[in-house]
Amino acid sequence: MVISHHIADGTLHVRILHELRVTDRAAAALQIESLVHLHRPAQVCVELPSGSPSPMTFSALARARRMCQSLGVPLTATGPGEQAPLPLFGHEAGAAGPRSMEHGARHDH
């Protein structure tokens, strides 16, 4: 098992139970996708297993975010045991967040 979940007040809460590896990152993303399609939540909150997700955990989170975005479902992420979402993505990151990149090129050099 790579994730656990519950639904409360229209929010799908997903907990990634451990840092993901190459062998289980697709399974985690697919499980989140299945839960979103099944429950049609108003929003999704993903609790990460650490404050600094591994590349594989981040990859699964990014895949889930793209899927939620295509369905118009907001996705937020939190660190372990946190209540407030981490500002990881898009406009939620605010002015201090990373800027958009085109074709992988940095704009600040």
Side-chain angles (χ1 to χ4, degrees), residues 1 19-20 40 64 72 89:
M1 178 185 279
E19 290 296 341
L20 301 175
R40 300 287 184 189
F89 302 114

Side-chain angles (χ1 to χ4, degrees), residues 10 12 36 40-45 64-76:
L12 172 63
V36 169
R40 300 287 184 189
Q43 61 184 8
V44 176
C45 182
R65 181 194 175 267
R66 285 190 304 272
M67 181 271 308
C68 285
Q69 187 175 28
S70 73
L71 296 172
V73 177
L75 182 143
T76 58

Side-chain angles (χ1 to χ4, degrees), residues 48-74:
L48 302 171
S50 70
S52 298
S54 71
M56 296 305 138
T57 300
F58 192 72
S59 173
L61 181 62
R63 181 173 164 183
R65 181 194 175 267
R66 285 190 304 272
M67 181 271 308
C68 285
Q69 187 175 28
S70 73
L71 296 172
V73 177

